[in-house]
Amino acid sequence: MSNIPVLTIDGPSGSGKGTIAQLIAKKLGWHYLDSGAIYRVLAQAAIKHHVELDNEPELAQMAAQLDLVFSLDNDQLVVKLEGDDVSHQIRSEQAGNAASKVAALALVRSALLERQRQFRQAPGLVTDGRDMGTVVFPDANTKVFLTASAKVRAERRYKQLKQKGIESNLSDLISEISERDKRDSQRSVAPLIPAEDALVLDSSEMGIETVYRHIITLCGDV
Ligand code: DC
């Protein structure tokens, strides 16, 4: 166990946990781990190397050797796979769904455990994902489970895509989000559930500012 403080923010896709986690990491001057990006990159690597998304032994081996580098450029997370910048590529709905499939495999998750724990560096770590408070950092000082209804999350995603000039269909987004929630919550390893000692925040009716203030207040106790 380590004395370095950790704040975990878990929750379903589109709950806003990534945006909030980055804002808080910046405010506290702490490191930031986007654990979902690791699963997204692994899925990307599998597609690149023609490995099926349910080939557990091969994917676990790829996970253990994944050539992945995170860096920051003007506060933006830059993600490189085998030296190639995949920051944008890994953010599509398709990449998220592929990530959710590889993330359901037990051997893959255990192969990535230590790599995630290595992000715990002074002065502290803010991390977001699905199992940060339950499995990866069970001794975290502060745990938040950030959620919102599937409809609200799909609407947020629809707006984001529109801003990027990408047309999408709201009802398709709602069913994709619901399907991913189901897979992430019903898998047998590290399912998407709040840690017993997590504060559960439903952001359906809250703006980002309000969520941020709630969490930063909690961190006052770190
Ligand atoms: O947070 P995200 O949408 O970038 O995550 C993509 C997928 O990766 C998500 O559907 C489930 C998986 N994931 C996971 O299983 N455990 C984590 N800690 C983070 C993500």
Side-chain angles (χ1 to χ4, degrees):
M1 292 292 158
S2 156
N3 291 330
I4 299 170
V6 180
L7 160 68
T8 59
I9 307 182
D10 287 306
S13 55
S15 58
K17 60 190 181 343
T19 310
I20 297 283
Q22 285 180 67
L23 284 173
I24 292 187
K26 192 169 178 207
K27 169 80 181 166
L28 298 175
W30 287 9
H31 299 279
Y32 166 59
L33 166 63
D34 174 355
S35 63
I38 302 181
Y39 291 98
R40 286 173 183 262
V41 169
L42 177 63
Q44 216 56 52
I47 293 164
K48 181 174 167 186
H49 296 294
H50 310 287
V51 173
E52 295 291 332
L53 298 179
D54 59 357
N55 184 341
E56 186 164 6
E58 195 135 340
L59 286 167
Q61 203 176 349
M62 286 183 81
Q65 297 164 353
L66 195 63
D67 177 2
L68 157 67
V69 178
F70 287 131
S71 58
L72 280 178
D73 181 18
N74 278 328
D75 290 340
Q76 295 294 315
L77 187 67
V78 177
V79 185
K80 287 194 176 164
L81 164 65
E82 295 161 8
D84 295 331
D85 187 340
V86 291
S87 317
H88 295 292
Q89 206 180 338
I90 59 164
R91 297 297 166 193
S92 69
E93 293 304 298
Q94 207 187 5
N97 285 324
S100 162
K101 288 183 187 156
V102 300
L105 306 171
L107 293 180
V108 164
R109 301 197 76 86
S110 50
L112 292 174
L113 208 50
E114 201 38 49
R115 182 187 280 253
Q116 295 175 83
R117 290 186 175 146
Q118 282 166 5
F119 280 81
R120 190 172 195 171
Q121 302 284 340
L125 175 68
V126 182
T127 177
D128 78 73
R130 306 291 186 290
D131 62 341
M132 296 294 101
T134 49
V135 176
V136 184
F137 301 105
D139 63 330
N141 310 62
T142 312
K143 300 180 186 179
V144 175
F145 189 86
L146 189 60
T147 186
S149 70
K151 182 166 173 283
V152 166
R153 288 183 285 127
E155 280 166 1
R156 287 178 187 160
R157 183 71 186 143
Y158 179 80
K159 279 190 204 145
Q160 275 174 355
L161 289 170
K162 198 161 187 177
Q163 274 167 6
K164 289 184 191 162
I166 303 170
E167 278 307 316
S168 61
N169 177 299
L170 187 58
S171 58
D172 285 351
L173 285 175
I174 295 177
S175 40
E176 276 168 24
I177 280 190
S178 307
E179 196 185 315
R180 182 129 71 99
D181 285 355
K182 201 165 142 198
R183 188 165 45 229
D184 292 346
S185 327
Q186 294 183 351
R187 67 184 178 215
S188 54
V189 273
L192 170 68
I193 40 160
E196 273 177 18
D197 48 350
L199 170 82
V200 179
L201 274 180
D202 185 331
S203 75
S204 304
E205 307 283 329
M206 277 184 216
I208 194 163
E209 261 301 311
T210 314
V211 176
Y212 173 81
R213 265 186 280 115
H214 265 291
I215 302 180
I216 209 83
T217 308
L218 277 181
C219 290
D221 299 332
V222 163

